[in-house]
Amino acid sequence: MARLYGRVAVISGGALGMGLAHAKALAKEGAKIVIADINEEAGAAAVAELGSKGTEAVFVRLDVTSEESWSEAVNRAVKAFSKVDILVNNAGIYLSGTVENTSLDVWERTMAVNVRGVFLGSKTVIPHMRAAGGGSIINICSNWGIVAFPDAAAYVASKGAVRLLTKATASEVAKDNIRVNSVHPSFTITNMTKDLVNEPETVKALVGPSLLGRPARAEEIASTVVFLASDESSFMTGSELVVDGGYTAV
Ligand SMILES: NC(=O)c1ccc[n+]([C@@H]2O[C@H](COP(=O)([O-])OP(=O)(O)OC[C@H]3O[C@@H](n4cnc5c(N)ncnc54)[C@H](O)[C@@H]3O)[C@@H](O)[C@H]2O)c1
């Protein structure tokens, strides 16, 4: 039997990049998929692709920065599939800048998507999970939520916040049989980074001290999301699953 048969997964930012890889990997294990994204065209294409492989999937428009949008998206997900078992808080943006040259606008936008988005997603979904008897929330964080990187001040700060927000949330909902964990990928080839792979110096800098010495494929992160979504990780909550090719090991 597929590991996630009958489970319902909402993936924020699931239309493209790593989010789409999570959706495909969860679907492969039998989950029904809700692609929740601001990009309607890519969302529709993602749902069509999943549907062509036999997955029950719907697209809901979501702007993770808006509480109203989260409420509408989750209500639509519950209407479509009766419940939500898995939430992948994946949507995120990266805007470069040092502490000195980051504008307030860039700071606020980064925090709105990367931190407020995770907060609102969890806040909205938890009552539904509680009513259904439990669930698994997976927050996509970063190696740069554990260690810093120059010229990424807002991003690093946002991911640091997600790291601890994960533990705060876990501490509150363990009694409801809801597990909350963070995943910490390093440089991964996605829509966000696809243009960078043609810049050898940038790749070298982003791969950094990684022991495996290469960027990740999105599927290599998605497989850990499947693990955290499944009962195989039943004793994990408030944990950080570091998937960084050894970046933070040395
Ligand atoms: N790619 C990497 O190297 C890398 C490394 C570590 C962590 N991450 C994290 O992984 C996650 C996914 O990143 P990615 O590389 O796949 O990015 P991506 O840019 O390829 O895809 C991001 C997705 O999020 C959606 N999105 C953006 N803003 C949104 C909003 N306000 N509301 C709803 N959806 C929105 C986009 O439409 C897109 O579908 C992010 O949280 C990112 O910080 C990425």
Side-chain angles (χ1 to χ4, degrees):
M1 163 100 65
R3 289 190 283 172
L4 300 172
Y5 181 75
R7 311 262 174 105
V8 178
V10 174
I11 302 122
S12 76
L16 290 168
M18 216 187 277
L20 181 55
H22 303 327
K24 288 180 183 170
L26 293 163
K28 210 168 156 196
E29 292 298 336
K32 297 173 190 177
I33 302 296
V34 180
I35 301 278
D37 204 291
I38 203 164
N39 186 332
E40 298 184 31
E41 202 182 321
V47 162
E49 189 183 349
L50 289 163
S52 73
K53 302 221 165 74
T55 296
E56 284 186 65
V58 295
F59 171 72
V60 295
R61 192 187 181 280
L62 169 71
D63 176 357
V64 293
T65 68
S66 157
E67 188 158 26
E68 195 186 349
S69 183
W70 263 114
S71 179
E72 278 171 23
V74 172
N75 283 340
R76 285 190 56 202
V78 172
K79 202 168 169 202
F81 295 132
S82 313
K83 59 175 182 165
V84 176
D85 302 295
I86 300 157
L87 169 65
V88 188
N89 277 313
N90 164 82
I93 57 170
Y94 170 77
L95 300 166
S96 64
T98 64
V99 168
E100 283 181 283
N101 69 21
T102 293
S103 67
L104 194 53
D105 175 58
V106 162
W107 177 269
E108 299 289 6
R109 273 162 55 206
T110 304
M111 290 297 163
V113 177
N114 294 7
V115 187
R116 193 200 303 166
V118 174
F119 158 64
L120 289 176
S122 303
K123 182 179 176 172
T124 311
V125 160
I126 283 168
H128 294 278
M129 287 185 170
R130 184 181 289 123
S136 174
I137 298 175
I138 300 144
N139 294 334
I140 305 302
C141 198
S142 175
N143 56 330
W144 295 351
I146 298 172
V147 295
F149 191 78
D151 203 26
Y155 185 82
V156 165
S158 74
K159 293 301 183 178
V162 170
R163 183 187 189 195
L164 264 294
L165 176 58
T166 302
K167 297 180 198 306
T169 315
S171 73
E172 293 164 8
V173 295
K175 62 182 185 320
D176 301 309
N177 194 32
I178 302 170
R179 298 182 297 107
V180 192
N181 294 287
S182 55
V183 172
H184 298 255
S186 56
F187 176 32
T188 305
I189 298 164
T190 65
N191 213 53
M192 187 189 265
T193 56
K194 65 181 186 314
D195 296 335
L196 302 177
V197 294
N198 303 318
E199 300 170 20
E201 283 309 307
T202 310
V203 170
K204 203 172 156 201
L206 294 176
V207 166
S210 156
L211 300 179
L212 297 184
R214 62 170 176 86
R217 287 176 286 108
E219 295 73 27
E220 293 176 297
I221 314 302
S223 57
T224 69
V225 168
V226 170
F227 168 67
L228 288 174
S230 79
D231 295 340
E232 287 160 25
S233 58
S234 55
F235 202 55
M236 285 181 73
T237 196
S239 291
E240 306 164 7
L241 195 44
V242 179
V243 195
D244 69 353
Y247 185 104
T248 53
V250 287

